[in-house]
């Protein structure tokens, strides 16, 4: 009976989980810009361009004329953080220097947090001079959302984590300035309302587009208006059926360092061509135990049991 009760509880846990898929910074900023205007009447002056191996810089400049008229920032857009600390961010470059920076690093293998993979995608943006850096994150969990804010954002955020203010908003409650007040209470009066409205607007986008994670580290104020300098996002991809028009041409890249085998790649291609769900992941190429059961909850329970019996390896 105790075993059965444990299985039931764990099955419920699995079924209530969301599928959190990371997206590129380029898409995070695109979605925020497009929908913040619609949901909160905040017009972000974000401009960005994506650069890959297939990018023609002449054609890109024709599409994005600002690239040739302002100083630029370029960095990998590869689902890993700490790019600044790793020397992978270049500032105040002209377009020719950006092209040289990309050419020197495109396809180059780097190691980040124990994972090795080549750099394939960059994001290019205008260089934005600024003095103040703020931090904002929104994380969804089972009972609501955790919202964190700090006046000390930037690459040293982890060293200043004691300065981060956090609130929890239960799923049944709405975001208001009153709810947001503890986050912005120590801000100067002249920016408090502006940043409060921005936090509420970002939360509206978060909910409306089914984000599961959103982080801006840092964002700043340009001419008194919020401007995200660095951003990460994750979407609940099980909500694609109702958001595909809002998301637009969204990409869910593989985690950094993850390379599909030929068999995984074949089945991934089949999955994209059908409304059915076809998934295949090789956990261990030399593994000798296969669990072939239907249902996500049952699969997890069987895999856990195999591990509990000492056969995880």
């Amino acid at each position: 009976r105790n075993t059965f009760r444990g299985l039931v509880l764990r099955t419920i846990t699995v079924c209530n989980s969301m599928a959190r898929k990371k997206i590129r910074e380029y898409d995070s900023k695109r979605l925020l810009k497009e929908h913040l205007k619609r949901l909160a009447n905040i017009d972000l002056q974000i401009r960005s361009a994506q650069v890959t191996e297939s990018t023609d810089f002449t054609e890109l400049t024709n599409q994005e004329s600002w690239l040739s008229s302002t100083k630029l920032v370029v960095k990998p857009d590869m689902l890993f953080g700490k790019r600044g600390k790793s020397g992978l961010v270049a500032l105040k470059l002209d377009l020719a220097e950006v092209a040289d920076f990309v050419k020197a690093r495109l396809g180059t293998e780097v190691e980040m947090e124990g994972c090795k993979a080549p750099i394939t995608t960059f994001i290019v943006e205008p260089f934005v001079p600024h003095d103040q850096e703020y931090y904002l994150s929104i994380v969804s969990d089972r009972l609501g959302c955790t919202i964190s804010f700090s006046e000390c954002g930037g690459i040293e955020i982890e060293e200043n984590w004691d300065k981060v203010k956090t609130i929890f908003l239960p799923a049944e409650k709405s975001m208001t300035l009153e709810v947001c007040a503890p986050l912005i209470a120590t801000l100067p009066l002249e920016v408090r309302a502006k940043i409060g409205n921005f936090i509420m607007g970002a939360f509206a986008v978060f909910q409306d587009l089914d984000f599961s994670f959103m982080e801006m580290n840092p964002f700043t104020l340009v001419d008194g208006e919020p401007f995200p300098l660095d951003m990460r996002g994750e979407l609940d991809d099980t909500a694609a059926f109702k958001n595909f028009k809002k998301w637009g041409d969204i990409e869910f890249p593989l985690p950094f360092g993850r390379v599909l085998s030929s068999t995984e790649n074949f089945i991934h291609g089949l999955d994209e061509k059908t409304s059915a769900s076809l998934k295949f992941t090789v956990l261990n190429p030399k593994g000798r135990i296969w669990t072939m059961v239907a249902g996500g909850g049952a699969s997890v329970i069987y895999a856990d049991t195999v591990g509990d019996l000492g056969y995880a390896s």
Side-chain angles (χ1 to χ4, degrees), residues 53-70:
E53 187 179 15
S54 62
T55 299
D56 182 318
F57 273 89
T58 301
E59 183 179 332
L60 183 64
T61 307
N62 291 335
Q63 296 172 353
E64 307 286 353
S65 58
W66 53 268
L67 284 167
S68 58
S69 61
T70 184

Side-chain angles (χ1 to χ4, degrees), residues 69-96:
S69 61
T70 184
K71 288 295 183 181
L72 303 168
V73 176
V74 58
K75 54 191 173 182
D77 196 357
M78 294 289 298
L79 307 188
F80 59 76
K82 300 181 180 177
R83 294 168 292 184
K85 288 187 175 181
S86 303
L88 293 173
V89 178
L91 310 174
K92 298 184 183 180
L93 304 186
D94 60 30
L95 186 58

Side-chain angles (χ1 to χ4, degrees), residues 7 27 31 41 58 63 65 91 121 129 148 151 163 169 178 189 195 203 227 241 248 256 260 267 300 304 311:
L7 292 181
D27 282 322
L31 293 177
N41 198 31
T58 301
Q63 296 172 353
S65 58
L91 310 174
T121 309
S148 302
E151 301 169 48
K163 299 177 182 176
L169 184 64
E178 184 179 3
L189 280 174
I195 291 180
F203 185 78
F227 191 99
F241 74 96
F256 181 73
L260 294 183
I267 294 177
V300 173
D304 277 356
Y311 295 100

Side-chain angles (χ1 to χ4, degrees), residues 11 53 60 65 84 91 93 97 105 107 120 144 202 234 237 247 253 296:
T11 302
E53 187 179 15
L60 183 64
S65 58
L91 310 174
L93 304 186
E97 291 171 321
R105 291 161 180 79
T120 63
E234 296 177 13
D237 75 337
W247 289 353

Side-chain angles (χ1 to χ4, degrees), residues 36 163 177 180 206 218 270:
L36 200 57
K163 299 177 182 176
L177 267 179
C180 189
F206 183 93
L270 293 178

Side-chain angles (χ1 to χ4, degrees), residues 11 82 112-113 168 209 216 238 245-246 259 284 291:
T11 302
K82 300 181 180 177
M112 302 297 296
E113 299 178 353
F168 179 77
L209 270 69
M216 294 174 226
T238 62
K245 287 185 178 180
K246 295 176 187 176
V259 179
N284 178 3
T291 59

Side-chain angles (χ1 to χ4, degrees), residues 125-139:
E125 303 170 295
F127 172 71
V128 179
H130 60 279
D131 297 318
Q132 183 69 48
E133 294 186 333
Y134 304 99
Y135 171 86
L136 174 65
S137 75
I138 308 172
V139 183

Side-chain angles (χ1 to χ4, degrees), residues 147-160:
I147 305 155
S148 302
F149 172 78
S150 176
E151 301 169 48
C152 301
I155 62 174
E156 305 297 336
I157 184 65
E158 292 177 0
E159 289 80 354
N160 291 289

